[in-house]
Amino acid sequence: MKPEIVLMGGMMPHVMEALEAAYVVHRYDQATDKAAFLAEIADKVRGLATGGHHGALDNAVIDALPKLEIISSFGVGVDHVDVGHATGKGVVVANTPDVLNDDVANLAIALILMCSRQLVAADRFVRGGQWLEGAMPLQQAIRGKIVGILGLGRIGKDIATKLQVFGCEVVYHGRREQADQPYRYCPDLLAMAKDCDYLVVICPGGPETEGIVDRAVLDALGPEGTLINVARGSVVDEPALVAALAEGRLGGAGLDVFAEEPEVPQALIDLEHVVLLPHVGSATVQTRKAMGDLVVDNLAAHFAGKGALTPVTAG
Ligand code: NAP
Ligand code: 8YV
């Protein structure tokens, strides 16, 4: 008999195909009466698949499914799931780490280059016919610049490695020093922001990191500094960021993530010296396929009694 799972929303076609072949799939997103839907499947459902793009997973859904054993989530960030609540009920939470490191790191590097060389403005310069009136002003080299990485984890380390090619000095901040890493550890985020030219945010979202890049950190980065955020919008105090950019207290920003996606504050859209991307860190065909495969493989390994391949462990 196929195990039964609930899907919080649609997944990529190859994922849907694999899930429908292996499980009886119940679609939460398609149910009109959610409470009646959960009551109807409560005694049957052993797995749940979701992703950050499906929004926060309400603890009430977990509580309504007493037979639930595993939540398989698309994406490495699990700030949309109350992992403590799930594991407290004996439910394993699995995510999709590592397979996306390369593309997310590439996007962070791209944002640094787009900001330092004003590449989006340069494109507008050509399209707007301004080149016909004169050359674009000179921009900044990144060679020799100090890049502070907030969150030297799987992706942060990949960013740091790639930055070596560009001749940047890497420093990092996290909750603890990593003695095996060649980069200078900064125990204080504010002090690191004072020291660096670029601050790259790539730590997890969630209550522990909410707003840790605040006005003081942005002011420390300063008018010559640039913020790059490829983590979660929640890590940065967005109103403070908008104010710092608008008032010239911060030099620039390259942002892939926002507080209320897909809403982006109009004040940010109106600013010339920011680069805004629609949360596309992992958005390549190859990486999204690998992430989808891992959602399926985590469920398969769990139901084969081998344990999820990539369970989330307490940070
Ligand atoms: P990871 O391997 O778990 O690394 C996270 C790093 O953040 C760790 O080095 C950790 O170091 C640090 N950290 C954790 N809590 C912290 C805190 N309270 N203060 C300071 N540092 C803290 O995670 P990853 O796989 O690299 O992914 C990182 C995040 O990137 C994800 O959680 C996700 O939100 C985001 N992401 C975004 C995209 C995108 O499309 N833009 C794609 C993938 C991932 P310590 O333990 O030493 O503190
Ligand atoms: C995903 C991400 O696109 O992995 C993550 O944490 O932010 C992205 O790779 C997103 O989670 C989709 O749900």
Side-chain angles (χ1 to χ4, degrees), residues 57 59 62-63 71 78-94 207-208 312-315:
L57 177 64
N59 279 342
I62 300 175
D63 296 344
I71 296 170
V78 285
D79 46 311
H80 55 290
V81 180
D82 185 340
V83 178
H85 185 79
T87 51
K89 296 204 142 212
V91 178
V92 175
V93 179
E208 227 195 292
V312 176
T313 49

PDB file of all heavy atoms in Angstrom, residues 57 59 62-63 71 78-94 207-208 312-315:
ATOM      1  N   LEU A  57       4.556  27.185   7.461  1.00  0.00           N
ATOM      2  CA  LEU A  57       3.754  25.996   7.773  1.00  0.00           C
ATOM      3  C   LEU A  57       3.188  26.188   9.177  1.00  0.00           C
ATOM      4  O   LEU A  57       3.943  26.237  10.161  1.00  0.00           O
ATOM      5  CB  LEU A  57       4.624  24.734   7.704  1.00  0.00           C
ATOM      6  CG  LEU A  57       3.929  23.429   8.071  1.00  0.00           C
ATOM      7  CD1 LEU A  57       2.810  23.088   7.082  1.00  0.00           C
ATOM      8  CD2 LEU A  57       4.929  22.278   8.127  1.00  0.00           C
ATOM      9  N   ASN A  59       1.767  25.529  12.683  1.00  0.00           N
ATOM     10  CA  ASN A  59       1.893  24.404  13.628  1.00  0.00           C
ATOM     11  C   ASN A  59       0.584  23.635  13.762  1.00  0.00           C
ATOM     12  O   ASN A  59       0.594  22.434  14.069  1.00  0.00           O
ATOM     13  CB  ASN A  59       2.325  24.913  15.005  1.00  0.00           C
ATOM     14  CG  ASN A  59       3.824  25.153  15.060  1.00  0.00           C
ATOM     15  OD1 ASN A  59       4.580  24.640  14.226  1.00  0.00           O
ATOM     16  ND2 ASN A  59       4.270  25.935  16.025  1.00  0.00           N
ATOM     17  N   ILE A  62       0.599  20.613  11.610  1.00  0.00           N
ATOM     18  CA  ILE A  62       1.377  19.511  12.209  1.00  0.00           C
ATOM     19  C   ILE A  62       0.542  18.847  13.312  1.00  0.00           C
ATOM     20  O   ILE A  62       0.436  17.614  13.378  1.00  0.00           O
ATOM     21  CB  ILE A  62       2.714  20.050  12.775  1.00  0.00           C
ATOM     22  CG1 ILE A  62       3.552  20.679  11.657  1.00  0.00           C
ATOM     23  CG2 ILE A  62       3.493  18.945  13.501  1.00  0.00           C
ATOM     24  CD1 ILE A  62       4.837  21.363  12.125  1.00  0.00           C
ATOM     25  N   ASP A  63      -0.077  19.686  14.138  1.00  0.00           N
ATOM     26  CA  ASP A  63      -0.860  19.156  15.267  1.00  0.00           C
ATOM     27  C   ASP A  63      -2.062  18.346  14.793  1.00  0.00           C
ATOM     28  O   ASP A  63      -2.510  17.422  15.475  1.00  0.00           O
ATOM     29  CB  ASP A  63      -1.344  20.311  16.156  1.00  0.00           C
ATOM     30  CG  ASP A  63      -0.175  21.060  16.796  1.00  0.00           C
ATOM     31  OD1 ASP A  63       0.949  20.516  16.802  1.00  0.00           O
ATOM     32  OD2 ASP A  63      -0.389  22.191  17.272  1.00  0.00           O
ATOM     33  N   ILE A  71       8.564  15.836   7.445  1.00  0.00           N
ATOM     34  CA  ILE A  71       8.286  17.014   6.609  1.00  0.00           C
ATOM     35  C   ILE A  71       9.479  17.148   5.683  1.00  0.00           C
ATOM     36  O   ILE A  71      10.610  17.332   6.138  1.00  0.00           O
ATOM     37  CB  ILE A  71       8.145  18.287   7.472  1.00  0.00           C
ATOM     38  CG1 ILE A  71       6.923  18.169   8.397  1.00  0.00           C
ATOM     39  CG2 ILE A  71       8.048  19.527   6.587  1.00  0.00           C
ATOM     40  CD1 ILE A  71       6.841  19.270   9.460  1.00  0.00           C
ATOM     41  N   VAL A  78      14.859  26.703   6.432  1.00  0.00           N
ATOM     42  CA  VAL A  78      13.638  26.109   7.000  1.00  0.00           C
ATOM     43  C   VAL A  78      12.954  27.080   7.966  1.00  0.00           C
ATOM     44  O   VAL A  78      12.271  26.665   8.901  1.00  0.00           O
ATOM     45  CB  VAL A  78      13.921  24.745   7.687  1.00  0.00           C
ATOM     46  CG1 VAL A  78      14.147  23.655   6.659  1.00  0.00           C
ATOM     47  CG2 VAL A  78      15.093  24.838   8.656  1.00  0.00           C
ATOM     48  N   ASP A  79      13.132  28.370   7.740  1.00  0.00           N
ATOM     49  CA  ASP A  79      12.529  29.365   8.622  1.00  0.00           C
ATOM     50  C   ASP A  79      11.005  29.394   8.491  1.00  0.00           C
ATOM     51  O   ASP A  79      10.334  30.020   9.317  1.00  0.00           O
ATOM     52  CB  ASP A  79      13.124  30.753   8.363  1.00  0.00           C
ATOM     53  CG  ASP A  79      13.222  31.090   6.886  1.00  0.00           C
ATOM     54  OD1 ASP A  79      13.739  30.256   6.118  1.00  0.00           O
ATOM     55  OD2 ASP A  79      12.772  32.176   6.497  1.00  0.00           O
ATOM     56  N   HIS A  80      10.446  28.719   7.479  1.00  0.00           N
ATOM     57  CA  HIS A  80       8.983  28.649   7.337  1.00  0.00           C
ATOM     58  C   HIS A  80       8.400  27.482   8.135  1.00  0.00           C
ATOM     59  O   HIS A  80       7.187  27.271   8.127  1.00  0.00           O
ATOM     60  CB  HIS A  80       8.606  28.522   5.858  1.00  0.00           C
ATOM     61  CG  HIS A  80       9.271  27.359   5.169  1.00  0.00           C
ATOM     62  ND1 HIS A  80      10.616  27.337   4.901  1.00  0.00           N
ATOM     63  CD2 HIS A  80       8.795  26.182   4.750  1.00  0.00           C
ATOM     64  CE1 HIS A  80      10.935  26.193   4.327  1.00  0.00           C
ATOM     65  NE2 HIS A  80       9.846  25.465   4.231  1.00  0.00           N
ATOM     66  N   VAL A  81       9.280  26.696   8.772  1.00  0.00           N
ATOM     67  CA  VAL A  81       8.818  25.559   9.586  1.00  0.00           C
ATOM     68  C   VAL A  81       9.312  25.764  11.016  1.00  0.00           C
ATOM     69  O   VAL A  81      10.466  26.141  11.226  1.00  0.00           O
ATOM     70  CB  VAL A  81       9.396  24.220   9.038  1.00  0.00           C
ATOM     71  CG1 VAL A  81       8.925  23.041   9.889  1.00  0.00           C
ATOM     72  CG2 VAL A  81       9.012  24.017   7.572  1.00  0.00           C
ATOM     73  N   ASP A  82       8.440  25.508  11.986  1.00  0.00           N
ATOM     74  CA  ASP A  82       8.857  25.542  13.392  1.00  0.00           C
ATOM     75  C   ASP A  82       9.497  24.178  13.673  1.00  0.00           C
ATOM     76  O   ASP A  82       8.816  23.224  14.072  1.00  0.00           O
ATOM     77  CB  ASP A  82       7.622  25.804  14.275  1.00  0.00           C
ATOM     78  CG  ASP A  82       7.973  25.968  15.743  1.00  0.00           C
ATOM     79  OD1 ASP A  82       9.073  25.525  16.148  1.00  0.00           O
ATOM     80  OD2 ASP A  82       7.139  26.525  16.485  1.00  0.00           O
ATOM     81  N   VAL A  83      10.811  24.115  13.426  1.00  0.00           N
ATOM     82  CA  VAL A  83      11.523  22.825  13.498  1.00  0.00           C
ATOM     83  C   VAL A  83      11.445  22.253  14.917  1.00  0.00           C
ATOM     84  O   VAL A  83      11.235  21.052  15.101  1.00  0.00           O
ATOM     85  CB  VAL A  83      12.986  22.973  13.032  1.00  0.00           C
ATOM     86  CG1 VAL A  83      13.735  21.652  13.166  1.00  0.00           C
ATOM     87  CG2 VAL A  83      13.044  23.455  11.579  1.00  0.00           C
ATOM     88  N   GLY A  84      11.570  23.118  15.929  1.00  0.00           N
ATOM     89  CA  GLY A  84      11.500  22.662  17.324  1.00  0.00           C
ATOM     90  C   GLY A  84      10.151  22.014  17.624  1.00  0.00           C
ATOM     91  O   GLY A  84      10.077  20.972  18.274  1.00  0.00           O
ATOM     92  N   HIS A  85       9.093  22.640  17.116  1.00  0.00           N
ATOM     93  CA  HIS A  85       7.742  22.109  17.351  1.00  0.00           C
ATOM     94  C   HIS A  85       7.586  20.740  16.680  1.00  0.00           C
ATOM     95  O   HIS A  85       7.072  19.797  17.290  1.00  0.00           O
ATOM     96  CB  HIS A  85       6.712  23.092  16.793  1.00  0.00           C
ATOM     97  CG  HIS A  85       5.295  22.698  17.077  1.00  0.00           C
ATOM     98  ND1 HIS A  85       4.697  22.900  18.301  1.00  0.00           N
ATOM     99  CD2 HIS A  85       4.366  22.077  16.306  1.00  0.00           C
ATOM    100  CE1 HIS A  85       3.458  22.435  18.268  1.00  0.00           C
ATOM    101  NE2 HIS A  85       3.233  21.931  17.067  1.00  0.00           N
ATOM    102  N   ALA A  86       8.073  20.651  15.434  1.00  0.00           N
ATOM    103  CA  ALA A  86       7.942  19.385  14.684  1.00  0.00           C
ATOM    104  C   ALA A  86       8.744  18.275  15.362  1.00  0.00           C
ATOM    105  O   ALA A  86       8.211  17.195  15.638  1.00  0.00           O
ATOM    106  CB  ALA A  86       8.401  19.588  13.240  1.00  0.00           C
ATOM    107  N   THR A  87      10.018  18.551  15.635  1.00  0.00           N
ATOM    108  CA  THR A  87      10.864  17.488  16.214  1.00  0.00           C
ATOM    109  C   THR A  87      10.369  17.125  17.621  1.00  0.00           C
ATOM    110  O   THR A  87      10.451  15.973  18.027  1.00  0.00           O
ATOM    111  CB  THR A  87      12.359  17.901  16.238  1.00  0.00           C
ATOM    112  OG1 THR A  87      12.476  19.186  16.839  1.00  0.00           O
ATOM    113  CG2 THR A  87      12.938  17.986  14.846  1.00  0.00           C
ATOM    114  N   GLY A  88       9.819  18.103  18.332  1.00  0.00           N
ATOM    115  CA  GLY A  88       9.236  17.840  19.650  1.00  0.00           C
ATOM    116  C   GLY A  88       8.105  16.826  19.571  1.00  0.00           C
ATOM    117  O   GLY A  88       7.795  16.143  20.541  1.00  0.00           O
ATOM    118  N   LYS A  89       7.480  16.750  18.385  1.00  0.00           N
ATOM    119  CA  LYS A  89       6.387  15.786  18.204  1.00  0.00           C
ATOM    120  C   LYS A  89       6.888  14.523  17.512  1.00  0.00           C
ATOM    121  O   LYS A  89       6.100  13.714  17.020  1.00  0.00           O
ATOM    122  CB  LYS A  89       5.291  16.432  17.358  1.00  0.00           C
ATOM    123  CG  LYS A  89       4.648  17.621  18.039  1.00  0.00           C
ATOM    124  CD  LYS A  89       3.251  17.877  17.525  1.00  0.00           C
ATOM    125  CE  LYS A  89       2.364  18.310  18.686  1.00  0.00           C
ATOM    126  NZ  LYS A  89       1.004  17.917  18.575  1.00  0.00           N
ATOM    127  N   GLY A  90       8.213  14.422  17.392  1.00  0.00           N
ATOM    128  CA  GLY A  90       8.787  13.216  16.769  1.00  0.00           C
ATOM    129  C   GLY A  90       8.765  13.251  15.248  1.00  0.00           C
ATOM    130  O   GLY A  90       8.955  12.224  14.591  1.00  0.00           O
ATOM    131  N   VAL A  91       8.530  14.443  14.678  1.00  0.00           N
ATOM    132  CA  VAL A  91       8.485  14.563  13.205  1.00  0.00           C
ATOM    133  C   VAL A  91       9.855  15.021  12.710  1.00  0.00           C
ATOM    134  O   VAL A  91      10.385  16.039  13.176  1.00  0.00           O
ATOM    135  CB  VAL A  91       7.400  15.589  12.780  1.00  0.00           C
ATOM    136  CG1 VAL A  91       7.392  15.754  11.259  1.00  0.00           C
ATOM    137  CG2 VAL A  91       6.028  15.176  13.289  1.00  0.00           C
ATOM    138  N   VAL A  92      10.422  14.276  11.758  1.00  0.00           N
ATOM    139  CA  VAL A  92      11.714  14.644  11.166  1.00  0.00           C
ATOM    140  C   VAL A  92      11.477  15.768  10.157  1.00  0.00           C
ATOM    141  O   VAL A  92      10.517  15.715   9.384  1.00  0.00           O
ATOM    142  CB  VAL A  92      12.317  13.431  10.405  1.00  0.00           C
ATOM    143  CG1 VAL A  92      13.599  13.820   9.669  1.00  0.00           C
ATOM    144  CG2 VAL A  92      12.555  12.278  11.343  1.00  0.00           C
ATOM    145  N   VAL A  93      12.343  16.782  10.166  1.00  0.00           N
ATOM    146  CA  VAL A  93      12.281  17.820   9.125  1.00  0.00           C
ATOM    147  C   VAL A  93      13.518  17.641   8.246  1.00  0.00           C
ATOM    148  O   VAL A  93      14.647  17.583   8.753  1.00  0.00           O
ATOM    149  CB  VAL A  93      12.258  19.241   9.727  1.00  0.00           C
ATOM    150  CG1 VAL A  93      12.218  20.293   8.622  1.00  0.00           C
ATOM    151  CG2 VAL A  93      11.070  19.416  10.671  1.00  0.00           C
ATOM    152  N   ALA A  94      13.298  17.531   6.939  1.00  0.00           N
ATOM    153  CA  ALA A  94      14.418  17.385   6.002  1.00  0.00           C
ATOM    154  C   ALA A  94      14.408  18.559   5.031  1.00  0.00           C
ATOM    155  O   ALA A  94      13.341  19.078   4.679  1.00  0.00           O
ATOM    156  CB  ALA A  94      14.300  16.064   5.245  1.00  0.00           C
ATOM    157  N   PRO A 207      13.672  33.615  14.025  1.00  0.00           N
ATOM    158  CA  PRO A 207      13.679  34.542  15.174  1.00  0.00           C
ATOM    159  C   PRO A 207      15.071  34.902  15.667  1.00  0.00           C
ATOM    160  O   PRO A 207      15.311  36.026  16.098  1.00  0.00           O
ATOM    161  CB  PRO A 207      12.903  33.779  16.258  1.00  0.00           C
ATOM    162  CG  PRO A 207      12.319  32.575  15.621  1.00  0.00           C
ATOM    163  CD  PRO A 207      12.879  32.406  14.248  1.00  0.00           C
ATOM    164  N   GLU A 208      16.020  33.951  15.592  1.00  0.00           N
ATOM    165  CA  GLU A 208      17.356  34.202  16.156  1.00  0.00           C
ATOM    166  C   GLU A 208      18.141  35.276  15.396  1.00  0.00           C
ATOM    167  O   GLU A 208      18.995  35.953  15.977  1.00  0.00           O
ATOM    168  CB  GLU A 208      18.153  32.891  16.130  1.00  0.00           C
ATOM    169  CG  GLU A 208      18.852  32.608  17.439  1.00  0.00           C
ATOM    170  CD  GLU A 208      19.894  31.528  17.290  1.00  0.00           C
ATOM    171  OE1 GLU A 208      19.490  30.369  17.052  1.00  0.00           O
ATOM    172  OE2 GLU A 208      21.083  31.841  17.402  1.00  0.00           O
ATOM    173  N   VAL A 312      17.287  18.074   9.114  1.00  0.00           N
ATOM    174  CA  VAL A 312      17.759  19.319   9.740  1.00  0.00           C
ATOM    175  C   VAL A 312      18.108  18.999  11.187  1.00  0.00           C
ATOM    176  O   VAL A 312      17.315  18.394  11.896  1.00  0.00           O
ATOM    177  CB  VAL A 312      16.646  20.387   9.703  1.00  0.00           C
ATOM    178  CG1 VAL A 312      17.079  21.644  10.443  1.00  0.00           C
ATOM    179  CG2 VAL A 312      16.261  20.704   8.272  1.00  0.00           C
ATOM    180  N   THR A 313      19.307  19.408  11.576  1.00  0.00           N
ATOM    181  CA  THR A 313      19.688  19.182  12.976  1.00  0.00           C
ATOM    182  C   THR A 313      19.705  20.525  13.691  1.00  0.00           C
ATOM    183  O   THR A 313      19.891  21.567  13.052  1.00  0.00           O
ATOM    184  CB  THR A 313      21.087  18.527  13.059  1.00  0.00           C
ATOM    185  OG1 THR A 313      21.973  19.265  12.227  1.00  0.00           O
ATOM    186  CG2 THR A 313      21.047  17.080  12.591  1.00  0.00           C
ATOM    187  N   ALA A 314      19.537  20.498  14.985  1.00  0.00           N
ATOM    188  CA  ALA A 314      19.483  21.756  15.760  1.00  0.00           C
ATOM    189  C   ALA A 314      20.776  22.534  15.552  1.00  0.00           C
ATOM    190  O   ALA A 314      21.859  21.966  15.586  1.00  0.00           O
ATOM    191  CB  ALA A 314      19.286  21.431  17.230  1.00  0.00           C
ATOM    192  N   GLY A 315      20.630  23.872  15.271  1.00  0.00           N
ATOM    193  CA  GLY A 315      21.789  24.739  15.017  1.00  0.00           C
ATOM    194  C   GLY A 315      22.568  24.968  16.269  1.00  0.00           C
ATOM    195  O   GLY A 315      23.378  25.811  16.408  1.00  0.00           O
TER     196      GLY A 315
END
